[in-house]
Amino acid sequence: MSVVLAKTSPMKATVLNSAIQASSAAPTVTKEKAKQTTRQAYPDYKVIVLNDDFNTFQHVAETLVKYIPHMTPDQAWKLTNQIHHEGQATVWVGPLEQAELYHSQLIRAGLTMAPLEKA
Protein backbone atom coordinates (compact mmCIF):
# COMPACT_ATOMS: atom_id res chain seq x y z
CA MET A 1 0.00 0.00 0.00
CA SER A 2 1.37 3.40 -0.85
CA VAL A 3 0.35 6.64 0.78
CA VAL A 4 1.31 9.94 -0.81
CA LEU A 5 1.94 12.79 1.57
CA ALA A 6 1.95 16.42 0.56
CA LYS A 7 3.66 19.07 2.61
CA THR A 8 1.28 21.89 3.46
CA SER A 9 3.37 23.54 6.10
CA PRO A 10 6.67 22.84 7.76
CA MET A 11 5.02 20.79 10.54
CA LYS A 12 1.88 19.34 8.81
CA ALA A 13 1.39 16.59 6.27
CA THR A 14 -1.83 15.78 4.45
CA VAL A 15 -2.83 12.37 3.09
CA LEU A 16 -3.61 12.70 -0.63
CA ASN A 17 -4.35 9.05 -1.43
CA SER A 18 -6.33 7.36 1.27
CA ALA A 19 -6.41 3.63 0.50
CA ILE A 20 -5.98 2.66 4.11
CA GLN A 21 -9.08 0.46 4.22
CA ALA A 22 -7.12 -2.43 2.71
CA SER A 23 -7.13 -4.26 6.02
CA SER A 24 -10.82 -5.10 5.51
CA ALA A 25 -9.94 -6.99 2.30
CA ALA A 26 -8.08 -9.70 4.25
CA PRO A 27 -9.66 -13.16 3.97
CA THR A 28 -11.82 -14.22 6.86
CA VAL A 29 -11.99 -17.73 8.25
CA THR A 30 -15.34 -18.97 9.43
CA LYS A 31 -15.44 -21.03 12.61
CA GLU A 32 -16.96 -24.01 10.79
CA LYS A 33 -14.03 -24.17 8.35
CA ALA A 34 -11.44 -23.74 11.10
CA LYS A 35 -12.76 -26.74 13.02
CA GLN A 36 -12.80 -29.11 10.05
CA THR A 37 -9.86 -31.49 9.77
CA THR A 38 -8.95 -33.51 6.76
CA ARG A 39 -7.64 -36.94 7.57
CA GLN A 40 -5.23 -38.45 5.12
CA ALA A 41 -4.17 -42.07 5.17
CA TYR A 42 -0.50 -42.88 5.42
CA PRO A 43 0.90 -43.94 2.05
CA ASP A 44 1.67 -47.58 1.34
CA TYR A 45 5.16 -48.66 0.28
CA LYS A 46 6.30 -51.30 -2.19
CA VAL A 47 8.88 -54.00 -1.40
CA ILE A 48 10.59 -54.80 -4.70
CA VAL A 49 13.00 -57.67 -5.31
CA LEU A 50 15.49 -57.27 -8.16
CA ASN A 51 16.99 -59.93 -10.41
CA ASP A 52 20.60 -60.89 -9.83
CA ASP A 53 23.08 -63.51 -11.04
CA PHE A 54 23.84 -65.23 -7.74
CA ASN A 55 20.55 -66.18 -6.02
CA THR A 56 18.89 -69.40 -7.14
CA PHE A 57 15.19 -69.67 -7.93
CA GLN A 58 14.84 -72.05 -4.98
CA HIS A 59 16.45 -69.60 -2.53
CA VAL A 60 14.35 -66.63 -3.72
CA ALA A 61 11.07 -68.58 -3.52
CA GLU A 62 11.86 -70.04 -0.08
CA THR A 63 12.91 -66.63 1.24
CA LEU A 64 9.68 -65.01 0.05
CA VAL A 65 7.60 -67.72 1.73
CA LYS A 66 9.62 -67.39 4.93
CA TYR A 67 9.49 -63.59 5.33
CA ILE A 68 6.44 -62.26 3.47
CA PRO A 69 3.20 -62.90 5.41
CA HIS A 70 0.57 -65.09 3.73
CA MET A 71 2.92 -65.87 0.82
CA THR A 72 2.18 -69.31 -0.61
CA PRO A 73 4.81 -71.39 -2.42
CA ASP A 74 2.86 -70.99 -5.69
CA GLN A 75 2.79 -67.19 -5.34
CA ALA A 76 6.49 -67.19 -4.47
CA TRP A 77 7.37 -69.19 -7.60
CA LYS A 78 5.29 -66.88 -9.82
CA LEU A 79 7.05 -63.84 -8.33
CA THR A 80 10.45 -65.53 -8.68
CA ASN A 81 9.79 -66.12 -12.39
CA GLN A 82 8.63 -62.50 -12.77
CA ILE A 83 11.84 -61.32 -11.09
CA HIS A 84 13.91 -63.44 -13.46
CA HIS A 85 12.10 -62.53 -16.69
CA GLU A 86 11.16 -58.87 -16.01
CA GLY A 87 14.09 -57.89 -13.80
CA GLN A 88 12.01 -57.13 -10.71
CA ALA A 89 8.75 -57.86 -8.90
CA THR A 90 6.76 -56.14 -6.19
CA VAL A 91 6.42 -58.80 -3.50
CA TRP A 92 4.53 -56.83 -0.84
CA VAL A 93 2.69 -53.50 -0.48
CA GLY A 94 1.67 -51.93 2.82
CA PRO A 95 2.53 -49.57 5.69
CA LEU A 96 6.06 -48.19 5.91
CA GLU A 97 7.08 -49.82 9.18
CA GLN A 98 6.19 -53.32 7.98
CA ALA A 99 7.72 -52.63 4.56
CA GLU A 100 10.99 -51.66 6.28
CA LEU A 101 10.96 -54.90 8.27
CA TYR A 102 10.35 -57.16 5.27
CA HIS A 103 12.83 -55.20 3.18
CA SER A 104 15.61 -55.62 5.75
CA GLN A 105 14.80 -59.32 6.28
CA LEU A 106 15.04 -59.99 2.55
CA ILE A 107 18.33 -58.09 2.36
CA ARG A 108 19.74 -60.13 5.28
CA ALA A 109 18.67 -63.29 3.44
CA GLY A 110 20.82 -62.19 0.49
CA LEU A 111 18.21 -60.98 -1.99
CA THR A 112 18.94 -57.94 -4.14
CA MET A 113 16.43 -55.24 -3.24
CA ALA A 114 15.28 -51.96 -4.75
CA PRO A 115 14.87 -49.06 -2.33
CA LEU A 116 11.42 -48.78 -0.77
CA GLU A 117 9.11 -46.55 -2.77
CA LYS A 118 5.62 -45.20 -2.31
CA ALA A 119 2.91 -47.31 -3.88
Side-chain angles (χ1 to χ4, degrees), residues 6 11 29 64 90 95 109 112:
M11 298 298 280
V29 178
L64 292 177
T90 300
T112 304

Side-chain angles (χ1 to χ4, degrees), residues 54-64 77 80 106 109-111:
F54 43 88
N55 283 303
T56 64
F57 276 55
Q58 185 72 32
H59 175 68
V60 173
E62 288 174 355
T63 302
L64 292 177
W77 277 102
T80 301
L106 296 175
L111 300 188

Side-chain angles (χ1 to χ4, degrees), residues 15-30:
V15 176
L16 296 178
N17 184 2
S18 125
I20 297 180
Q21 294 182 355
S23 63
S24 66
T28 58
V29 178
T30 61

Side-chain angles (χ1 to χ4, degrees), residues 6 11 14 23 30 45 51 83 104 107 109:
M11 298 298 280
T14 306
S23 63
T30 61
Y45 284 80
N51 190 32
I83 293 165
S104 66
I107 287 173

Side-chain angles (χ1 to χ4, degrees), residues 29-49:
V29 178
T30 61
K31 290 182 182 181
E32 294 83 32
K33 292 269 186 187
K35 290 182 182 179
Q36 291 177 353
T37 57
T38 304
R39 295 180 188 241
Q40 294 179 351
Y42 289 109
D44 284 338
Y45 284 80
K46 297 190 280 189
V47 177
I48 301 170
V49 178

